[in-house]
Amino acid sequence: MPLGFVYHEDCALHENGPGHPERPERIRAIRDHLKKVGLLERLILIEPEPCPEELIETIHPRPYIEMIRAACRRGPVRLDPDTGVVPASWRAALLSAGGAIAACDAVAAGRARAAFVCTRPPGHHAEPERAMGFCLFNNVAIAVRYLQSAHRLERIAIVDWDVHHGNGTQMVFEEDDTVLYFSTHQFPYYPGSGARSERGRGRGLGFTLNVPLPPGSGDRDYLRVFRDELIPAIDSFRPEAILISAGFDAHERDPLASMALTESGYAGMTEIVNDAAARHCGGRIISLLEGGYDLQALALSVEAHLVSLGA
């Protein structure tokens, strides 16, 4: 069964402002590279529809959604020092969340073995009522709730290997024992959250696992964390699907961080997660693009990721 690749050109119309690292060329560089190396033709191409707003409301309250819509209409507007919108950002944000939904449908229905969502804006920093860190809607959180409601999958694991901690995703699920949230990230670093002591609250205590790493950490460090900490947690939790917040900004060439991952490291992490998915959930993996700002490193890392997923 082939791998799904979710892409929509209108996601490239979103703009954060001149010179911003989260730029339209990111998703185009991935698509063009995959086509150049002959990988794109081996994938199921999935063009998403805009996400229904009622699905976004499972994470973000209606007043927040309306605020984002109004800001886009007025654009160009800055929502925080790092996050801007233009009129086309509204459609791009709906398509990015809709891409997560389309990937969930393809994988849950068995049309794709796994899927990679190559859309923007990214999502894991978006809190229920706050846009930040280049993110408007929390795509991975929306996907989790959709899998639970539409596809009746109860236990979902999120593996977040973006170089920045996914504060928004953690906030959404920190009291939820049906979602295992794992993040390894550069620390201390933006957004300041993600200490090991943050383990969830109430019923969700113990279902948040943060493994902060110091600057300079590379392939060997990440693979050790995945083998020694992530896999025991997944084996105990026994998820019915695994979602990856796949940021590629811990790459040694990325301009926004100080880590030392290579394409081999991303391939190795993917293989570990893929093996866990095969054991527990029939290989169901939905991977969503988050960060990654050196275009060549991003494209090569995504290629390695998809090959390790079985493309």
Tab-separated table of all heavy atoms in Angstrom, residues 182-232:
chain	number	residue	atom	x	y	z
A	182	PHE	N	4.556	13.288	23.409
A	182	PHE	CA	6.001	13.192	23.594
A	182	PHE	C	6.675	14.285	22.796
A	182	PHE	O	6.370	14.497	21.614
A	182	PHE	CB	6.509	11.827	23.103
A	182	PHE	CG	8.005	11.750	22.959
A	182	PHE	CD1	8.798	11.390	24.029
A	182	PHE	CD2	8.616	12.048	21.746
A	182	PHE	CE1	10.181	11.322	23.899
A	182	PHE	CE2	9.996	11.992	21.605
A	182	PHE	CZ	10.782	11.630	22.685
A	183	SER	N	7.600	14.993	23.429
A	183	SER	CA	8.361	16.016	22.716
A	183	SER	C	9.816	15.966	23.154
A	183	SER	O	10.122	15.903	24.352
A	183	SER	CB	7.807	17.416	22.994
A	183	SER	OG	8.597	18.407	22.344
A	184	THR	N	10.711	15.988	22.183
A	184	THR	CA	12.123	16.231	22.456
A	184	THR	C	12.530	17.450	21.649
A	184	THR	O	12.159	17.589	20.483
A	184	THR	CB	12.985	14.993	22.147
A	184	THR	OG1	14.313	15.227	22.610
A	184	THR	CG2	13.017	14.652	20.666
A	185	HIS	N	13.280	18.365	22.285
A	185	HIS	CA	13.455	19.701	21.732
A	185	HIS	C	14.673	20.358	22.359
A	185	HIS	O	15.123	19.966	23.441
A	185	HIS	CB	12.208	20.549	22.018
A	185	HIS	CG	11.701	20.383	23.415
A	185	HIS	ND1	10.791	19.403	23.749
A	185	HIS	CD2	12.015	21.005	24.584
A	185	HIS	CE1	10.549	19.448	25.055
A	185	HIS	NE2	11.295	20.397	25.582
A	186	GLN	N	15.189	21.367	21.680
A	186	GLN	CA	16.288	22.148	22.251
A	186	GLN	C	15.771	22.905	23.470
A	186	GLN	O	14.672	23.478	23.443
A	186	GLN	CB	16.846	23.120	21.213
A	186	GLN	CG	18.039	23.944	21.703
A	186	GLN	CD	18.628	24.812	20.613
A	186	GLN	OE1	18.657	24.428	19.451
A	186	GLN	NE2	19.115	25.985	20.987
A	187	PHE	N	16.566	22.912	24.542
A	187	PHE	CA	16.118	23.545	25.789
A	187	PHE	C	17.341	24.057	26.548
A	187	PHE	O	18.343	23.357	26.641
A	187	PHE	CB	15.345	22.515	26.630
A	187	PHE	CG	14.654	23.087	27.828
A	187	PHE	CD1	13.379	23.612	27.722
A	187	PHE	CD2	15.281	23.094	29.068
A	187	PHE	CE1	12.732	24.134	28.830
A	187	PHE	CE2	14.635	23.619	30.179
A	187	PHE	CZ	13.361	24.134	30.058
A	188	PRO	N	17.294	25.275	27.086
A	188	PRO	CA	16.180	26.215	27.006
A	188	PRO	C	16.139	26.911	25.647
A	188	PRO	O	17.173	27.245	25.090
A	188	PRO	CB	16.505	27.212	28.126
A	188	PRO	CG	17.997	27.164	28.243
A	188	PRO	CD	18.392	25.750	27.940
A	189	TYR	N	14.955	27.136	25.168
A	189	TYR	CA	14.785	27.746	23.852
A	189	TYR	C	13.311	28.129	23.711
A	189	TYR	O	12.474	27.771	24.553
A	189	TYR	CB	15.221	26.758	22.761
A	189	TYR	CG	15.521	27.375	21.418
A	189	TYR	CD1	16.190	28.586	21.327
A	189	TYR	CD2	15.146	26.746	20.238
A	189	TYR	CE1	16.484	29.146	20.098
A	189	TYR	CE2	15.445	27.297	19.002
A	189	TYR	CZ	16.114	28.502	18.943
A	189	TYR	OH	16.408	29.059	17.734
A	190	TYR	N	12.994	28.834	22.636
A	190	TYR	CA	11.607	29.211	22.367
A	190	TYR	C	10.721	27.958	22.351
A	190	TYR	O	11.111	26.934	21.796
A	190	TYR	CB	11.519	29.913	21.005
A	190	TYR	CG	10.131	30.364	20.630
A	190	TYR	CD1	9.677	31.618	20.985
A	190	TYR	CD2	9.262	29.511	19.939
A	190	TYR	CE1	8.404	32.032	20.648
A	190	TYR	CE2	7.981	29.916	19.609
A	190	TYR	CZ	7.561	31.172	19.961
A	190	TYR	OH	6.296	31.577	19.639
A	191	PRO	N	9.532	27.983	22.938
A	191	PRO	CA	8.856	29.105	23.608
A	191	PRO	C	9.068	29.158	25.115
A	191	PRO	O	8.344	29.874	25.801
A	191	PRO	CB	7.383	28.821	23.275
A	191	PRO	CG	7.311	27.333	23.265
A	191	PRO	CD	8.611	26.855	22.714
A	192	GLY	N	10.022	28.398	25.629
A	192	GLY	CA	10.332	28.429	27.052
A	192	GLY	C	9.712	27.303	27.852
A	192	GLY	O	10.094	27.073	29.001
A	193	SER	N	8.754	26.592	27.259
A	193	SER	CA	8.117	25.461	27.926
A	193	SER	C	8.829	24.179	27.552
A	193	SER	O	9.780	24.178	26.784
A	193	SER	CB	6.634	25.395	27.524
A	193	SER	OG	6.517	25.349	26.111
A	194	GLY	N	8.365	23.055	28.128
A	194	GLY	CA	8.903	21.762	27.766
A	194	GLY	C	9.944	21.214	28.719
A	194	GLY	O	10.748	20.363	28.325
A	195	ALA	N	9.930	21.654	29.973
A	195	ALA	CA	10.821	21.070	30.969
A	195	ALA	C	10.401	19.631	31.254
A	195	ALA	O	9.226	19.268	31.115
A	195	ALA	CB	10.796	21.898	32.251
A	196	ARG	N	11.337	18.826	31.696
A	196	ARG	CA	11.022	17.427	31.999
A	196	ARG	C	9.965	17.312	33.085
A	196	ARG	O	9.192	16.346	33.127
A	196	ARG	CB	12.293	16.676	32.396
A	196	ARG	CG	12.101	15.178	32.507
A	196	ARG	CD	13.401	14.482	32.827
A	196	ARG	NE	14.243	14.243	31.674
A	196	ARG	CZ	14.133	13.180	30.887
A	196	ARG	NH1	13.201	12.264	31.100
A	196	ARG	NH2	14.956	13.020	29.866
A	197	SER	N	9.899	18.288	33.965
A	197	SER	CA	8.924	18.259	35.065
A	197	SER	C	7.487	18.457	34.589
A	197	SER	O	6.543	18.211	35.351
A	197	SER	CB	9.264	19.336	36.094
A	197	SER	OG	9.266	20.624	35.488
A	198	GLU	N	7.288	18.903	33.359
A	198	GLU	CA	5.938	19.077	32.815
A	198	GLU	C	5.450	17.718	32.329
A	198	GLU	O	5.825	17.248	31.263
A	198	GLU	CB	5.962	20.103	31.681
A	198	GLU	CG	6.388	21.486	32.139
A	198	GLU	CD	6.656	22.452	30.996
A	198	GLU	OE1	6.109	22.239	29.888
A	198	GLU	OE2	7.421	23.402	31.197
A	199	ARG	N	4.578	17.094	33.105
A	199	ARG	CA	4.180	15.703	32.843
A	199	ARG	C	2.663	15.546	32.673
A	199	ARG	O	2.154	14.437	32.655
A	199	ARG	CB	4.664	14.812	33.984
A	199	ARG	CG	6.170	14.834	34.197
A	199	ARG	CD	6.626	13.915	35.316
A	199	ARG	NE	6.191	12.543	35.072
A	199	ARG	CZ	5.295	11.878	35.834
A	199	ARG	NH1	4.714	12.470	36.875
A	199	ARG	NH2	4.983	10.633	35.535
A	200	GLY	N	1.956	16.661	32.531
A	200	GLY	CA	0.506	16.608	32.465
A	200	GLY	C	-0.106	16.945	33.813
A	200	GLY	O	0.601	17.118	34.816
A	201	ARG	N	-1.436	17.017	33.812
A	201	ARG	CA	-2.146	17.384	35.045
A	201	ARG	C	-3.399	16.544	35.188
A	201	ARG	O	-3.970	16.079	34.198
A	201	ARG	CB	-2.543	18.865	35.026
A	201	ARG	CG	-1.369	19.841	34.960
A	201	ARG	CD	-1.840	21.263	35.136
A	201	ARG	NE	-2.830	21.622	34.116
A	201	ARG	CZ	-3.649	22.670	34.198
A	201	ARG	NH1	-3.622	23.444	35.268
A	201	ARG	NH2	-4.491	22.949	33.232
A	202	GLY	N	-3.838	16.388	36.427
A	202	GLY	CA	-5.088	15.686	36.680
A	202	GLY	C	-5.070	14.302	36.076
A	202	GLY	O	-4.120	13.537	36.239
A	203	ARG	N	-6.132	13.969	35.363
A	203	ARG	CA	-6.237	12.658	34.728
A	203	ARG	C	-5.126	12.408	33.718
A	203	ARG	O	-4.775	11.265	33.419
A	203	ARG	CB	-7.606	12.539	34.046
A	203	ARG	CG	-8.050	11.112	33.758
A	203	ARG	CD	-9.437	11.110	33.181
A	203	ARG	NE	-9.466	11.749	31.866
A	203	ARG	CZ	-10.550	11.912	31.136
A	203	ARG	NH1	-11.719	11.514	31.602
A	203	ARG	NH2	-10.495	12.482	29.947
A	204	GLY	N	-4.568	13.491	33.189
A	204	GLY	CA	-3.515	13.357	32.188
A	204	GLY	C	-2.107	13.302	32.753
A	204	GLY	O	-1.140	13.272	31.982
A	205	LEU	N	-1.967	13.266	34.055
A	205	LEU	CA	-0.639	13.213	34.649
A	205	LEU	C	0.089	11.941	34.204
A	205	LEU	O	-0.448	10.831	34.332
A	205	LEU	CB	-0.740	13.245	36.179
A	205	LEU	CG	0.601	13.250	36.927
A	205	LEU	CD1	1.390	14.512	36.607
A	205	LEU	CD2	0.370	13.138	38.437
A	206	GLY	N	1.285	12.125	33.679
A	206	GLY	CA	2.066	10.995	33.191
A	206	GLY	C	1.895	10.723	31.714
A	206	GLY	O	2.610	9.883	31.158
A	207	PHE	N	0.962	11.419	31.059
A	207	PHE	CA	0.731	11.213	29.629
A	207	PHE	C	1.390	12.305	28.778
A	207	PHE	O	1.206	12.332	27.561
A	207	PHE	CB	-0.767	11.129	29.336
A	207	PHE	CG	-1.390	9.878	29.896
A	207	PHE	CD1	-1.859	9.854	31.208
A	207	PHE	CD2	-1.466	8.718	29.153
A	207	PHE	CE1	-2.417	8.698	31.746
A	207	PHE	CE2	-2.011	7.563	29.674
A	207	PHE	CZ	-2.486	7.548	30.978
A	208	THR	N	2.152	13.182	29.415
A	208	THR	CA	3.024	14.130	28.736
A	208	THR	C	4.456	13.755	29.082
A	208	THR	O	4.791	13.609	30.265
A	208	THR	CB	2.735	15.577	29.179
A	208	THR	OG1	1.437	15.955	28.738
A	208	THR	CG2	3.753	16.543	28.582
A	209	LEU	N	5.279	13.568	28.063
A	209	LEU	CA	6.673	13.184	28.266
A	209	LEU	C	7.556	14.153	27.497
A	209	LEU	O	7.601	14.122	26.262
A	209	LEU	CB	6.909	11.748	27.787
A	209	LEU	CG	8.355	11.231	27.841
A	209	LEU	CD1	8.919	11.305	29.252
A	209	LEU	CD2	8.433	9.809	27.288
A	210	ASN	N	8.224	15.036	28.222
A	210	ASN	CA	9.156	15.979	27.626
A	210	ASN	C	10.584	15.529	27.891
A	210	ASN	O	10.945	15.198	29.027
A	210	ASN	CB	8.961	17.375	28.227
A	210	ASN	CG	7.728	18.065	27.693
A	210	ASN	OD1	7.594	18.264	26.494
A	210	ASN	ND2	6.814	18.436	28.588
A	211	VAL	N	11.396	15.521	26.838
A	211	VAL	CA	12.810	15.175	26.963
A	211	VAL	C	13.615	16.325	26.360
A	211	VAL	O	13.949	16.310	25.164
A	211	VAL	CB	13.145	13.846	26.268
A	211	VAL	CG1	14.608	13.465	26.543
A	211	VAL	CG2	12.220	12.730	26.743
A	212	PRO	N	13.883	17.352	27.155
A	212	PRO	CA	14.669	18.479	26.641
A	212	PRO	C	16.114	18.090	26.420
A	212	PRO	O	16.693	17.307	27.178
A	212	PRO	CB	14.544	19.520	27.764
A	212	PRO	CG	14.226	18.742	28.999
A	212	PRO	CD	13.458	17.539	28.554
A	213	LEU	N	16.710	18.612	25.352
A	213	LEU	CA	18.094	18.317	24.990
A	213	LEU	C	18.889	19.617	24.870
A	213	LEU	O	18.351	20.649	24.454
A	213	LEU	CB	18.152	17.557	23.670
A	213	LEU	CG	17.624	16.120	23.682
A	213	LEU	CD1	17.576	15.571	22.263
A	213	LEU	CD2	18.474	15.239	24.576
A	214	PRO	N	20.169	19.574	25.196
A	214	PRO	CA	20.988	20.787	25.110
A	214	PRO	C	21.379	21.099	23.678
A	214	PRO	O	21.372	20.219	22.808
A	214	PRO	CB	22.222	20.429	25.949
A	214	PRO	CG	22.346	18.940	25.803
A	214	PRO	CD	20.925	18.431	25.747
A	215	PRO	N	21.744	22.353	23.407
A	215	PRO	CA	22.245	22.703	22.073
A	215	PRO	C	23.414	21.807	21.684
A	215	PRO	O	24.217	21.398	22.524
A	215	PRO	CB	22.697	24.161	22.240
A	215	PRO	CG	21.876	24.678	23.373
A	215	PRO	CD	21.686	23.516	24.311
A	216	GLY	N	23.470	21.476	20.406
A	216	GLY	CA	24.538	20.626	19.889
A	216	GLY	C	24.199	19.155	19.837
A	216	GLY	O	24.981	18.360	19.314
A	217	SER	N	23.038	18.776	20.365
A	217	SER	CA	22.648	17.368	20.331
A	217	SER	C	22.449	16.912	18.881
A	217	SER	O	21.921	17.651	18.053
A	217	SER	CB	21.361	17.154	21.119
A	217	SER	OG	21.539	17.515	22.482
A	218	GLY	N	22.868	15.675	18.607
A	218	GLY	CA	22.819	15.171	17.241
A	218	GLY	C	22.139	13.828	17.120
A	218	GLY	O	21.373	13.412	17.995
A	219	ASP	N	22.441	13.131	16.038
A	219	ASP	CA	21.757	11.884	15.704
A	219	ASP	C	21.808	10.876	16.852
A	219	ASP	O	20.777	10.297	17.225
A	219	ASP	CB	22.391	11.254	14.463
A	219	ASP	CG	22.209	12.086	13.213
A	219	ASP	OD1	21.475	13.096	13.258
A	219	ASP	OD2	22.809	11.719	12.180
A	220	ARG	N	22.974	10.651	17.408
A	220	ARG	CA	23.122	9.644	18.453
A	220	ARG	C	22.280	9.993	19.678
A	220	ARG	O	21.643	9.123	20.278
A	220	ARG	CB	24.590	9.507	18.838
A	220	ARG	CG	24.868	8.401	19.851
A	220	ARG	CD	26.353	8.235	20.081
A	220	ARG	NE	27.048	7.872	18.855
A	220	ARG	CZ	28.364	7.690	18.777
A	220	ARG	NH1	29.128	7.850	19.855
A	220	ARG	NH2	28.916	7.335	17.632
A	221	ASP	N	22.234	11.272	20.033
A	221	ASP	CA	21.456	11.699	21.199
A	221	ASP	C	19.961	11.483	20.976
A	221	ASP	O	19.252	10.969	21.850
A	221	ASP	CB	21.723	13.177	21.490
A	221	ASP	CG	23.195	13.478	21.677
A	221	ASP	OD1	23.787	12.981	22.649
A	221	ASP	OD2	23.767	14.201	20.826
A	222	TYR	N	19.485	11.880	19.815
A	222	TYR	CA	18.062	11.722	19.518
A	222	TYR	C	17.664	10.255	19.461
A	222	TYR	O	16.621	9.861	19.999
A	222	TYR	CB	17.719	12.414	18.200
A	222	TYR	CG	17.406	13.889	18.324
A	222	TYR	CD1	18.428	14.836	18.380
A	222	TYR	CD2	16.093	14.340	18.389
A	222	TYR	CE1	18.141	16.196	18.488
A	222	TYR	CE2	15.786	15.690	18.494
A	222	TYR	CZ	16.826	16.620	18.544
A	222	TYR	OH	16.530	17.952	18.665
A	223	LEU	N	18.471	9.436	18.820
A	223	LEU	CA	18.118	8.018	18.700
A	223	LEU	C	18.130	7.331	20.061
A	223	LEU	O	17.300	6.456	20.330
A	223	LEU	CB	19.062	7.323	17.722
A	223	LEU	CG	18.976	7.818	16.269
A	223	LEU	CD1	20.009	7.109	15.404
A	223	LEU	CD2	17.581	7.613	15.699
A	224	ARG	N	19.039	7.744	20.926
A	224	ARG	CA	19.047	7.187	22.284
A	224	ARG	C	17.749	7.546	23.012
A	224	ARG	O	17.134	6.692	23.673
A	224	ARG	CB	20.247	7.718	23.058
A	224	ARG	CG	20.262	7.315	24.543
A	224	ARG	CD	21.412	7.955	25.281
A	224	ARG	NE	21.482	9.392	25.093
A	224	ARG	CZ	20.701	10.268	25.718
A	224	ARG	NH1	19.771	9.843	26.584
A	224	ARG	NH2	20.832	11.568	25.502
A	225	VAL	N	17.324	8.800	22.908
A	225	VAL	CA	16.086	9.229	23.553
A	225	VAL	C	14.896	8.439	23.010
A	225	VAL	O	14.025	7.993	23.765
A	225	VAL	CB	15.888	10.741	23.353
A	225	VAL	CG1	14.458	11.155	23.705
A	225	VAL	CG2	16.886	11.526	24.201
A	226	PHE	N	14.860	8.249	21.707
A	226	PHE	CA	13.740	7.523	21.110
A	226	PHE	C	13.713	6.074	21.583
A	226	PHE	O	12.647	5.546	21.919
A	226	PHE	CB	13.820	7.591	19.578
A	226	PHE	CG	13.104	8.788	19.005
A	226	PHE	CD1	13.412	10.071	19.424
A	226	PHE	CD2	12.114	8.631	18.058
A	226	PHE	CE1	12.752	11.175	18.913
A	226	PHE	CE2	11.434	9.724	17.535
A	226	PHE	CZ	11.756	11.004	17.967
A	227	ARG	N	14.860	5.439	21.622
A	227	ARG	CA	14.892	4.033	22.053
A	227	ARG	C	14.628	3.875	23.549
A	227	ARG	O	13.885	2.980	23.967
A	227	ARG	CB	16.252	3.418	21.708
A	227	ARG	CG	16.525	3.301	20.213
A	227	ARG	CD	17.777	2.465	19.971
A	227	ARG	NE	18.154	2.470	18.560
A	227	ARG	CZ	19.153	3.196	18.055
A	227	ARG	NH1	19.885	3.956	18.849
A	227	ARG	NH2	19.426	3.140	16.767
A	228	ASP	N	15.246	4.751	24.358
A	228	ASP	CA	15.216	4.558	25.808
A	228	ASP	C	13.998	5.172	26.482
A	228	ASP	O	13.598	4.714	27.557
A	228	ASP	CB	16.481	5.162	26.446
A	228	ASP	CG	17.755	4.447	26.022
A	228	ASP	OD1	17.646	3.366	25.401
A	228	ASP	OD2	18.847	4.971	26.294
A	229	GLU	N	13.404	6.196	25.871
A	229	GLU	CA	12.301	6.891	26.544
A	229	GLU	C	10.997	6.845	25.763
A	229	GLU	O	9.939	6.572	26.327
A	229	GLU	CB	12.707	8.337	26.844
A	229	GLU	CG	13.998	8.418	27.667
A	229	GLU	CD	14.029	9.616	28.585
A	229	GLU	OE1	12.987	9.936	29.198
A	229	GLU	OE2	15.101	10.233	28.694
A	230	LEU	N	11.060	7.119	24.473
A	230	LEU	CA	9.818	7.116	23.694
A	230	LEU	C	9.225	5.719	23.568
A	230	LEU	O	8.029	5.518	23.818
A	230	LEU	CB	10.061	7.704	22.301
A	230	LEU	CG	8.882	7.584	21.324
A	230	LEU	CD1	7.668	8.347	21.842
A	230	LEU	CD2	9.281	8.068	19.936
A	231	ILE	N	10.033	4.740	23.185
A	231	ILE	CA	9.489	3.415	22.901
A	231	ILE	C	8.870	2.758	24.142
A	231	ILE	O	7.769	2.196	24.055
A	231	ILE	CB	10.560	2.531	22.243
A	231	ILE	CG1	10.852	3.054	20.837
A	231	ILE	CG2	10.088	1.084	22.166
A	231	ILE	CD1	9.632	3.271	19.956
A	232	PRO	N	9.497	2.804	25.318
A	232	PRO	CA	8.804	2.257	26.485
A	232	PRO	C	7.459	2.939	26.756
A	232	PRO	O	6.489	2.272	27.144
A	232	PRO	CB	9.792	2.504	27.630
A	232	PRO	CG	11.127	2.533	26.970
A	232	PRO	CD	10.888	3.188	25.646
